[in-house]
Amino acid sequence: MVLRPTKSVSVLYGLGDPTTGRAVLAAHHAGLAEAVAYLDGHLGARRGHGGVQHVDGQGVLAVGFDHRTSREGDPLLHTHLVIANRIQGPDGRWTALDGRDLYRHRLAADAIYRATYQRDLVRTLGVEWTVADAHGNRELQGVPQILVRCFSKRTDQIDQAVQELAVDGRERTPRLVKWAVQVTRKPKQHEAPDTLYDHWRTEATERGVDPDTLVREVTGRTPDRDQDRPVSNAAAGELFDHLAGPDGLTATASIFARPDLLVALGAGLAGTGRTELEELADRFLAERAVSVVADRALEERRWSTPDLLAVEQRLVTAATGRTGEQTAVTSHQTVREALAAHPTAGADQQAMVRDLCQGGQGVAVVVGRAGTGKTFALGIARHARQLDGYRLLATAPTGIATMSLQGEGFEDVATCDRLLGDLDRGREQLDPRAVLVVDEAGMVGSRMLTRLLEHTERAQAKVVLVGDDRQLAAIDAGGGFRALRLRLGASELVENRRQHEAWEREALDLVRSGLVEEAVAAYQAHDRVVAADSKPAATLALLQDWWAAYQDAEHDPAQEVIVLAARRAEVDRLNTACQELLAARGRLGGEQLQVEDRQLAVGDRVVCGKNAIAELGVANGSRGIVTGLDPHARTLTLRLDGSDGREVTLPRSYLDGRSRAERNRRVDLAYATTGHRAQGLTRGRALVRLTGTEDVNWLYVQLSRARQDTRLYAVVGPEPQGAEELDLADREQPDGYLQLAQALCRAGDQTLAIDTPSSPDLQRLSTAELRAERDWLRRQLDRAPRDRSRALARASTHREQAEAALATQQPSTDRQPTGMLRWLRRGHDQTAQVRGGLAVATQQANRAHDRERELRQHQQRRDGWLEANAHLGPAYREVVRTLAWQRRATGVAIEADRPAYVLEALGPGPESTRGRRAWRQAAAEVEQYRHTYGITDPVRALGPEPHDRVQRDDRQRARKAVERVQAKQRATDRTHQRQPTNERSTPP
């Protein structure tokens, strides 16, 4: 680890007099000591085969190497802390430390280091600190920025080297920066301290800063230097309120660990020591947090805030409390008419429509796998609802998703933010005849989803949640969609209608199911990963394939290609490269329009970055081709993607109206895009930039974007790239398919805090606690819904037969006879009979559909229960095994000790193996009963008859075990007595 103060502190160290320099160095060393002390208390050791067992440790061995300057000779106080891979376990043995602990606690150690040197510098020099940045760093008040830049030559040198590498096509990543640090590093030049001191002061004077004046202005700012005074209750309470609120620790994650809290406290409080920081952390956890992982659990201890837990509980209650309703039920005839108007609907889509339109629960959940035609099926359900006179509202977290809903006939559409604002202000009103469809619900955070469900619950309106928790997750704290899917069950669209190749559809199912080896093998069998030894080579290969696909798309629009990458910087670089290639091939117009930092020309493919649905009909994510531009009026004309090919002109106010709060360019190139902006996108071909740092949710979405061909481009050369660990040693890059496997093994979904898994450490539980855990697990397993799959299959067959019978009863569309022929057939008029038969057939078909839907929804709830409780079976078996081991161990111990009360009840141990096993089991039962209820009678094994019912039951169980052994012993004695004397005698 490398620990160093902020740059302004090093400037003060370099320009100050010897007394000031010693004070800064002492504060730095104090921070180092506190950081190491913190690590010493939190690092553990790995034991067992493969290091799977984690035990507490102590005695961290570390050595620090102080450095005063950078390679360019600028003041840069820092220490390289080398930690030995040895730590002492609770048994006194020195073994390898658990590197996961070091990774988990290093940011907290850095926060303690910063807080300690800040406190010491205030106390010794009276300095003041600026507001913390996003990383918790604070600069000294009074140090001019020009001086900080002046003494940051090494940073400028590294930035320049990285920029030069970026021109060659390399993506700026932390490991690339580290590589630039290595290749630009100069040999160390040892200069005398006095020479350095004079050099630094001269350089500061040349920048117009008098060093002595600067030191006087920076120090002595704080008249009250008493830093031993604890943080006031008001300051702590204000910070606690922020951390426990929606914008605090649970803003983007449902749970947090203690090191996360220490980092947040260190960023919020300047100059607080380690002891006080840890006391504040413990106080916050006791007063403002709730543990979601038990004390004696195998998992790391995790907490959440009461605010978020209350939100999650309201979310679940608002949905599960409406399962018995009959809300917005559509008639069978209406559903038949809607399905008849869409004859291409598949069986799973038809089942989904019936579930949504005729299932009466107030909250319905739909899982739309990638490429299954989710939006099309929603359009059918919308048609049926409108035929019955219901009012349809649709919302989605992104503007482009709302545009897709509009394309399927939804008229009243808004983003989630806008809809909630209208509902809160009363501009929008819901009623029992309203149906709210929430598309991409898996990307909606828990707080927003709760507000939507509460609005619909108050109005008794139906809400339909449509999404997929195995695709992209919410940016805010989420997991609500998954929680409701597991509790309510979900109607799932399973037939992939997008990918043309059967093997690719199967591979996507393997990715979704978590079968990584099989999925990677499928892509490897079809040679879908392009490996290159450097980033420029990977970019060149990608551009060559993109250009070939682009040319194919000019003749066949179904071959249109999209480039996908995880990082914005990579997307920007690839967009620029694609545009330059098109310009060089004469595919773009000569006149250009500058929009922010982009030069756009006629023929460019672009994407809009701001919602203007009502004003211009474009959303954040709307794509199109530039067909015209006016540099003087600053307008841009686009032909939007879609079947209608609508044109829209973006005015100056849209192009130049970007505010600082907006992350996206108002108009950007769209040859390449990030995964989130590609949500819902379908193209003929997809080229995916693979780095190995992606997760399975992101990759599942990108691998399903193309109908015909998806290829991945990976770098397998020695150049550093990848994750953000700057101080870890470089490793050889794995091959492309191994990178794919690593990404597919990395989870990217979210879980509610109330659903956080917590598995007890069975080795730390008593026998009574183990039995209680076993009984609880057994009760939970008994709650599993019955498997009705056979009944569902029979109901489906019956429904098909009823529908066929109904079809035969439909009035014939043949031409009816007229004139004399009609008169001659008047006696054979069977209209009344036909109508009666039609009514009966219709009633039978309706009942068959209802029965099938009820069984289907039962199976959906069962599937959700099984997934949510998949851990119960293995946990139950593990508890039973542990109890059996404890009984055997107790029995063996009792057999060796042979207390009087056991001999009185069971007699001496039998000689046979089977008898001795039964004796030990009974002895263990007796010992457990005595231990549980504190029986101390030295003679009677089970003590007096108890009055408590539970204790009587336990005593009865132990007594039966004793009676079984006694009965076996009596039977053995009778058999032995019937034997002749010569048979019982022992042979010589």
Side-chain angles (χ1 to χ4, degrees), residues 733-766:
Q733 278 298 104
D735 66 67
Y737 293 101
L738 183 55
Q739 292 183 45
L740 177 60
Q742 291 172 345
L744 293 179
C745 290
R746 190 174 297 112
D749 56 349
Q750 291 199 45
T751 304
L752 291 186
I754 59 177
D755 291 340
T756 303
S758 180
S759 306
D761 186 354
L762 302 183
Q763 303 302 322
R764 302 171 63 184
L765 299 184
S766 65

Side-chain angles (χ1 to χ4, degrees), residues 68-207:
R68 297 174 298 167
T69 65
S70 69
R71 295 275 175 166
E72 291 297 314
D74 293 326
L76 182 63
L77 181 62
H78 61 284
T79 296
H80 295 266
L81 191 64
V82 181
I83 301 175
N85 188 24
R86 283 292 181 271
I87 196 167
Q88 189 178 33
D91 56 359
R93 287 195 300 127
W94 290 83
T95 55
L97 62 82
D98 193 336
R100 296 169 298 182
D101 287 343
L102 182 59
Y103 180 80
R104 189 181 300 122
H105 289 281
R106 64 187 212 155
L107 292 180
D110 186 60
I112 288 172
Y113 161 75
R114 291 196 307 264
T116 302
Y117 80 67
Q118 290 168 3
R119 179 201 60 190
D120 281 19
L121 288 180
V122 171
R123 183 165 51 192
T124 57
L125 298 179
V127 301
E128 289 183 348
W129 300 98
T130 61
V131 177
D133 62 13
H135 305 287
N137 296 310
R138 299 173 186 268
E139 297 287 355
L140 288 171
Q141 292 275 16
V143 177
Q145 191 64 28
I146 186 176
L147 205 57
V148 172
R149 295 297 304 171
C150 168
F151 289 122
S152 300
K153 298 186 209 53
R154 181 67 177 140
T155 301
D156 294 339
Q157 185 184 63
I158 295 170
D159 288 341
Q160 182 179 356
V162 171
Q163 290 174 4
E164 292 175 355
L165 293 171
V167 172
D168 295 334
R170 292 172 169 85
E171 176 190 356
R172 183 185 179 108
T173 62
R175 284 203 179 270
L176 184 64
V177 174
K178 179 183 176 182
W179 192 59
V181 170
Q182 299 290 335
V183 299
T184 60
R185 176 176 292 178
K186 294 180 178 179
K188 291 185 178 180
Q189 298 179 355
H190 299 283
E191 298 186 41
D194 292 341
T195 304
L196 285 172
Y197 180 69
D198 294 339
H199 173 72
W200 292 334
R201 292 175 66 89
T202 302
E203 195 167 353
T205 304
E206 292 174 351
R207 297 297 189 277

Side-chain angles (χ1 to χ4, degrees), residues 450-470:
T450 301
R451 292 171 60 197
L452 286 171
L453 292 187
E454 289 178 338
H455 276 292
T456 56
E457 184 182 24
R458 284 192 293 268
Q460 289 300 295
K462 187 180 184 70
V463 59
V464 178
L465 304 178
V466 187
D468 187 3
D469 53 280
R470 288 183 174 87

Side-chain angles (χ1 to χ4, degrees), residues 557-572:
Q559 301 289 330
E560 190 173 356
V561 62
I562 186 68
V563 179
L564 301 164
R567 292 177 176 153
R568 287 172 175 261
E570 181 78 353
V571 168
D572 287 345

Side-chain angles (χ1 to χ4, degrees), residues 33-35 37-38 112 115-116 119 272-279:
E34 292 293 275
Y38 171 79
I112 288 172
T116 302
R119 179 201 60 190
T272 305
R274 174 176 66 91
T275 302
E276 189 172 6
L277 269 182
E278 298 214 57
E279 290 175 353

Side-chain angles (χ1 to χ4, degrees), residues 523-552:
Y523 285 102
Q524 189 169 12
H526 292 83
D527 197 23
R528 289 304 178 93
V529 175
V530 178
D533 58 2
S534 66
K535 288 184 179 178
T539 302
L540 180 60
L542 188 149
L543 287 176
Q544 288 174 341
D545 290 345
W546 177 83
W547 173 240
Y550 184 91
Q551 290 175 298
D552 293 339

